[in-house]
Amino acid sequence: MATHPSDMCVALAALGATVFVEGKNGQREIAFNDFHRLPGDTPQIETDLQADELIKAIEILQNDFVANSLYRKVRDRSSYAFALVSVAAALELQNNVIANVRIALGGVSHKPWRAFETERSGHRRKFQARS
């Protein structure tokens, strides 16, 4: 199985986006982290989207991550569009203390990979701004 090639999806995973879909059974919401699937027993099914559903919108709730966010990717050559590996990281600061951390990785799995354990370990740490 190939790794997931999208830059945008890594950022959407880090920001906790929601996918709004509609099909013959009506509308539903899918947390972005649950939208892409791991191969398991059905490697031909890459998303949680049903055959008759259409993506209507993707929503990112307003948050304080924009001021302290970063996306980086490493490519084999600059002429290649997709990343060998990428990271989307964002911090929410309150009085120079990290209140919330978001980290998603690309190029490491069949789907954009949220680093939940790493995020939990980063909470409540003092942030020292660079000079």
Side-chain angles (χ1 to χ4, degrees):
M1 297 276 78
T3 59
H4 194 275
S6 173
D7 295 333
M8 178 187 73
C9 289
V10 176
L12 290 173
L15 295 175
T18 301
V19 181
F20 293 84
V21 301
E22 186 171 348
K24 67 179 180 183
N25 294 324
Q27 299 179 1
R28 66 186 182 110
E29 301 175 15
I30 307 168
F32 199 82
N33 196 57
D34 297 329
F35 183 73
H36 294 92
R37 297 169 48 138
L38 294 174
D41 294 332
T42 54
Q44 73 280 11
I45 302 173
E46 296 183 4
T47 69
D48 195 37
L49 198 61
Q50 300 300 310
D52 70 321
E53 289 181 322
L54 177 68
I55 296 172
K56 300 280 288 198
I58 297 176
E59 179 181 74
I60 302 170
L61 294 178
Q62 185 170 341
N63 58 58
D64 295 326
F65 289 115
V66 174
N68 301 295
S69 60
L70 179 70
Y71 178 82
R72 289 287 188 254
K73 72 178 179 176
V74 175
R75 298 179 286 184
D76 196 22
R77 291 185 225 150
S78 62
S79 63
Y80 292 160
F82 63 91
L84 293 174
V85 67
S86 63
V87 62
L91 300 176
E92 180 183 4
L93 301 177
Q94 294 175 354
N95 299 320
N96 284 338
V97 173
I98 298 172
N100 201 348
V101 179
R102 299 279 179 87
I103 301 169
L105 306 169
V108 298
S109 177
H110 190 67
K111 65 184 245 176
W113 197 262
R114 277 287 294 276
F116 289 112
E117 189 172 327
T118 303
E119 291 176 358
R120 284 189 293 276
S121 71
H123 287 241
R124 298 284 159 226
R125 297 193 186 247
K126 184 76 171 166
F127 179 75
Q128 191 69 19
R130 291 185 192 177
S131 304

